Amino acid sequence: MINTDSTLHIEKVTSTRVGEVDFDNLVFGKTFTDHMFECEYKNGAWQRPTIKPYGPMLVYPGMKVFHYGQAVFEGMKAYKDENDDVFLFRPEQNLERINKSSKRMAIPEFPKEIFLEALNELVRLDKDWIQKGDGNSLYIRPFAIATEVGVSASPSKEYKFMILLSPVQAYYKGFVKVLIAEKYSRSADGGVGAAKAAGNYGAQFYPTSLAQEKGFQQIIWTDSNEHKYLEEAGTMNVFFRINDTLITAPTSDRILDGITRKSILDLAKHNGVNVDVRKLTVSELIAAAEDGSLKEIFGAGTAAVVSFISHFGFKDKIYELKEQSDSFAVMFKKQLNDIQYNISEDPFGWRKKVELF
């Protein structure tokens, strides 16, 4: 439900901080733009949406988000082309997914019309923070948290929906080494693996740190029942190329329905690449690595877009993947980037221009 006063209210900064930023040396997600979006949910309805100067919030230690983890988020990007036009990539999909995540976490869904208007206005206001060029973009972080004060074990009756903007460069540069999980799991049947719930990511940090101690950057997660099936890579969906077939796990209540994943599957079909959406076992992967039919593994997600995997480890053995002259990962990343940066035609209608004036 929306409050009768749903007009977007805008409070602009008196002066911008954009001149203080070293855009050549950004740490991913550490720098935020001049403005942020905020909308509160109270008395059964979303209240007046507001864009305001970025800054701290007043929070109470009894807020339910701190005690019961009612928090969901999204990851999106805005891109600037050589003509200084700005584009979003499939924003309706992000709204659909955060509302799906919210529903799973008993958080009220956010209205589409307010989200899209606020997103356009927020990006328009802070367009000077978006740098042109390969790898540069504006990372967009919508999120919702439970704000009702009280420690009773029940869903909050009050929430805050916000959007933050952060100028970024490429998330991963070069190749990534991954370790196949044998003990820890990202999610379980009937759980919240398909939701972008904050706790999903917090639970990954410890096993990932153990992998990093062994020289790997990320983990390829396996199913929680038998650790038999390959599911996701770190915070990304994962693809495997065996011979000339592209294989990825089907989505489920354990696996996130990634927007980059969907886009790569569409691009694969567009390019005539054979796609097999099915469960892939660890033993199949090892056999393919040993007989030479495993050509590529790569991750797919908003932050990295496509992340090239050069090695994977399993049971104290490391398998190396040779670079392919006809790499699917290279092809898909270029085609995605060309659409995102308005370099090529967009036959899918994914690119949405931000109205700057």
Side-chain angles (χ1 to χ4, degrees):
M1 184 182 295
I2 307 172
N3 189 285
T4 52
D5 183 10
S6 60
T7 304
L8 180 62
H9 177 64
I10 299 176
E11 304 170 13
K12 295 183 181 179
V13 295
T14 55
S15 61
T16 181
R17 295 178 284 105
V18 70
E20 304 169 11
V21 179
D22 181 0
F23 286 99
D24 293 326
N25 294 287
L26 293 169
V27 176
F28 195 98
K30 283 284 191 178
T31 301
F32 294 95
T33 65
D34 291 322
H35 299 90
M36 63 184 184
F37 171 75
E38 178 180 281
C39 189
E40 293 188 339
Y41 183 89
K42 292 182 178 180
N43 302 317
W46 290 103
Q47 305 299 308
R48 189 177 192 184
T50 301
I51 290 175
K52 59 197 293 187
Y54 174 83
M57 301 187 304
L58 175 64
V59 297
Y60 291 93
M63 275 173 39
K64 289 200 171 186
V65 66
F66 299 134
H67 302 273
Y68 302 111
Q70 272 188 288
V72 297
F73 69 93
E74 264 301 318
M76 311 170 59
K77 282 183 178 178
Y79 304 85
K80 182 177 283 186
D81 70 6
E82 290 304 312
N83 297 317
D84 290 325
D85 289 325
V86 176
F87 298 89
L88 299 169
F89 184 73
R90 310 189 74 176
E92 296 91 347
Q93 290 285 316
N94 291 101
L95 175 64
E96 181 181 316
R97 191 169 63 178
I98 197 171
N99 278 340
K100 181 180 177 181
S101 298
S102 293
K103 186 175 182 179
R104 181 62 181 83
M105 297 299 292
I107 297 172
E109 296 178 34
F110 197 73
K112 179 178 180 179
E113 58 271 28
I114 297 179
F115 176 80
L116 294 176
E117 180 189 9
L119 186 59
N120 186 88
E121 287 300 308
L122 187 60
V123 173
R124 183 186 66 80
L125 276 175
D126 288 346
K127 63 183 182 298
D128 292 340
W129 291 74
I130 311 173
Q131 301 298 291
K132 291 184 283 192
D134 183 41
N136 295 320
S137 61
L138 185 70
Y139 186 76
I140 303 169
R141 171 52 61 91
F143 65 99
I145 59 172
T147 55
E148 182 187 3
V149 175
V151 294
S152 61
S154 60
S156 176
K157 295 178 181 178
E158 298 178 0
Y159 298 88
K160 193 183 291 285
F161 188 99
M162 301 187 70
I163 305 175
L164 308 179
L165 306 180
S166 176
V168 296
Q169 296 173 307
Y171 193 72
Y172 289 121
K173 295 180 180 179
F175 292 89
V176 177
K177 293 175 65 176
V178 297
L179 180 66
I180 294 177
E182 298 178 58
K183 177 181 179 182
Y184 295 100
S185 300
R186 177 188 174 273
S187 59
D189 291 336
V192 294
K196 284 188 76 71
N200 286 351
Y201 296 79
Q204 293 185 43
F205 295 156
Y206 175 66
T208 301
S209 70
L210 297 180
Q212 289 170 347
E213 289 174 4
K214 296 179 179 180
F216 300 91
Q217 284 84 38
Q218 285 290 352
I219 291 174
I220 291 187
W221 302 102
T222 51
D223 67 288
S224 59
N225 295 326
E226 303 174 83
H227 294 288
K228 177 180 178 181
Y229 298 103
L230 300 153
E231 297 197 332
E232 292 193 356
T235 58
M236 302 175 288
N237 294 115
V238 63
F239 288 84
F240 306 89
R241 176 186 174 186
I242 296 180
N243 290 319
D244 286 329
T245 297
L246 190 66
I247 302 171
T248 193
T251 55
S252 66
D253 57 8
R254 297 191 313 276
I255 297 176
L256 191 71
D257 190 10
I259 295 164
T260 308
R261 173 188 178 276
K262 289 180 182 178
S263 304
I264 287 176
L265 289 175
D266 286 341
L267 284 171
K269 293 172 186 175
H270 186 72
N271 285 279
V273 173
N274 186 41
V275 174
D276 196 359
V277 178
R278 67 172 177 87
K279 294 181 178 180
L280 180 70
T281 65
V282 176
S283 59
E284 283 183 89
L285 181 70
I286 300 300
E290 290 179 344
D291 69 20
S293 60
L294 177 64
K295 306 300 183 184
E296 295 180 83
I297 306 175
F298 58 92
T302 298
V305 184
V306 171
S307 183
F308 308 100
I309 294 172
S310 62
H311 299 76
F312 73 89
F314 182 67
K315 292 190 180 298
D316 298 322
K317 186 172 180 180
I318 297 177
Y319 299 83
E320 182 178 2
L321 297 167
K322 296 180 180 179
E323 290 189 55
Q324 301 295 312
S325 59
D326 62 342
S327 168
F328 285 178
V330 170
M331 176 177 68
F332 293 139
K333 184 170 186 177
K334 184 179 188 308
Q335 290 181 359
L336 271 177
N337 283 162
D338 285 353
I339 291 173
Q340 292 164 336
Y341 287 98
N342 194 30
I343 294 170
S344 70
E345 293 298 317
D346 175 12
F348 308 97
W350 293 336
R351 189 170 57 222
K352 305 298 180 183
K353 188 175 182 180
V354 175
E355 299 302 324
L356 299 178
F357 301 100

